[in-house]
Structure formats: structure tokens, C-alpha cells
Amino acid sequence: MLIKLNQVLNKNHCLDITEQLIAADWVLGESTAGHLAKNEKSNLQLAQDNPLAQNLGQFIVGQLANVSDFQAAAVPHKIFPPMFNCYQGGGTFGNHIDNAIRFHPQTGEAIRTDVSITVFLNEPDEYDGGELIIQDTYGEQKVKLAAGDAVLYPSTSLHQVTPVTRGRRLASFFWIQSFVADLVNRTTLYQLDKSIQDISLKLPNSQEAITLSGIYHNLLRQWSRGE
């Protein structure tokens, strides 16, 4: 299930964030890659203990709290602190699958990566290449979104970032441990949630919406895992 989230950040947010990132101290991205992914990764990242990364990450998580589609699709339980990367001068990240477990850089808490998210921070016409290519049930999906938009997708997906041959691609990326670990169950809940919202708009206070809402919460209660 690949979900586009519109305007997680507004244009002013993106301009302010990119201005700060351009002036930041970057490290080689391979320093945070797994054993196999390290050979495929050629980009720059902010160090996880960089105060700028921590402050901007907290801001982005705060903005996501107000995005209903994020809550519905991810059913977030734990959120790994957002990271930031920069692709330029041919920088790329070949096909890989994200590590199943990440450890919180401050607390050491283990976080299972059920859902991956990329928030695009600058406009797509500012760089050539840099498409996020995700393999999903329906084949290869190419994603290159406007500044402030984000894409949510299963962390089990094989994916890559194509080489950036002009300009600079700036983005934030991180992972969510969902209350609902199973992708099929999580997709079912998302579709049910959207259907309830649609019915509620067309038929306010309808018995059908109330009944479906009860089914939704009973399924969530059955499928959720709070570990």
C-alpha cells in the first residue's frame, strides 16, 4: 500500500528547512547503511546526533500528527526520529530493503520498521533524477513529489533512489512501528477508515457509519500489538 500525503509541510516550512539544510554539516550516508546496502549507497546525511536534525525531525513529526491519512494508513505506535539526506553530483541509492529493526539514537529503544516514509523538501524541477522507485504489488512505482508532500509505503518493499544528475535533492526519511504489524490487516483498516469517512460525509450521523466504526475498532483491537 503506497499512500501519498499532500502538504505535510507548507511551502514556507520547506523553504526554511532547506535553507538550514544547505548550510548544515553533512556526513557520508554510507555510515548509517546496513552491511549490504552500504555498497549501494552514495549520498549525504545529517548525523543523527546533529541538533538541527533533531529539531527539524521533531517539527516534522508534529506536523504529521495533524495529517489524518498518515494516522489512518500507518496506525503509528513508535516513530523513529526523522533523518535527512542530500543527493547531488550523481548520488544514488541502489535497490535495497530497509533494516527490520532500528535502534532509537537517544534511548536505544528497538523500533520495528513496518512503514517507511519520505518527505520531499524541495521542488522536483530543482533537480534531475532522484526518483524514489518502489516495488509493490502493482509493479514498479516511481515517486517524485512536490516540496512538502510525502509518500508512505511498506518497509518490506524493495526500493531505490535514482542518480541525481543536476541540482540537489533534499528529503527527510524515517520509519514507523505500527500498532498493526501485518500489512494486509493495516491495508484493510485503512480502506475501512476511508469508507467510513466517505459515508459520514454523504450521510452524517448514519447508522451505517456507526456500525462500520464499531467494526473498525473491534478489528483494530484484535489486530493491534502494543509491544
Side-chain angles (χ1 to χ4, degrees):
M1 181 174 62
L2 188 154
I3 304 293
K4 178 184 173 184
L5 305 175
N6 294 318
Q7 289 296 281
V8 172
L9 305 171
N10 65 38
K11 300 303 181 184
N12 288 333
H13 292 153
C14 291
L15 288 172
D16 180 58
I17 289 172
T18 55
E19 183 177 331
Q20 294 183 68
L21 290 178
I22 289 171
D25 293 324
W26 296 87
V27 300
L28 293 178
E30 65 185 43
S31 63
T32 62
H35 176 67
L36 293 178
K38 186 173 295 188
N39 297 325
E40 300 289 336
K41 191 173 186 179
S42 175
N43 68 0
L44 300 173
Q45 288 181 192
L46 288 191
Q48 290 179 277
D49 60 356
N50 187 316
L52 177 61
Q54 295 172 1
N55 292 336
L56 294 180
Q58 290 172 7
F59 177 75
I60 289 175
V61 170
Q63 294 300 115
L64 275 172
N66 302 315
V67 179
S68 60
D69 257 16
F70 170 73
Q71 302 297 326
V75 197
H77 177 38
K78 301 175 184 178
I79 299 179
F80 190 87
M83 300 171 68
F84 297 84
N85 58 23
C86 173
Y87 290 86
Q88 59 187 7
T92 184
F93 197 167
N95 271 328
H96 65 285
I97 292 177
D98 294 330
N99 290 352
I101 304 294
R102 294 272 176 173
F103 294 93
H104 194 291
Q106 282 78 51
T107 68
E109 178 184 26
I111 297 177
R112 187 184 63 242
T113 59
D114 297 320
V115 182
S116 299
I117 182 170
T118 296
V119 182
F120 292 79
L121 297 175
N122 60 325
E123 300 294 354
D125 62 2
E126 295 178 16
Y127 57 94
D128 291 336
E131 291 90 357
L132 174 60
I133 299 181
I134 304 166
Q135 301 289 339
D136 74 359
T137 307
Y138 303 102
E140 186 177 276
Q141 307 292 319
K142 294 184 178 181
V143 183
K144 186 175 180 179
L145 303 179
D149 291 350
V151 62
L152 202 68
Y153 59 98
S155 298
T156 52
S157 304
L158 186 70
H159 59 285
Q160 63 173 296
V161 176
T162 63
V164 172
T165 57
R166 177 187 66 87
R168 176 192 293 115
R169 176 193 189 268
L170 296 168
S172 177
F173 65 101
F174 49 106
W175 301 272
I176 298 97
Q177 177 172 323
S178 177
F179 275 111
V180 182
D182 185 86
L183 172 59
V184 173
N185 292 348
R186 199 165 60 245
T187 301
T188 298
L189 286 173
Y190 176 73
Q191 293 170 337
L192 182 55
D193 185 277
K194 299 297 288 183
S195 296
I196 293 168
Q197 292 181 42
D198 290 343
I199 292 172
S200 297
L201 285 174
K202 296 173 183 176
L203 301 169
N205 302 315
S206 71
Q207 185 58 51
E208 290 84 354
I210 294 171
T211 299
L212 288 174
S213 180
I215 293 171
Y216 172 91
H217 286 287
N218 285 333
L219 288 174
L220 178 59
R221 187 174 293 110
Q222 178 180 343
W223 291 339
S224 63
R225 297 166 58 180
E227 74 276 12

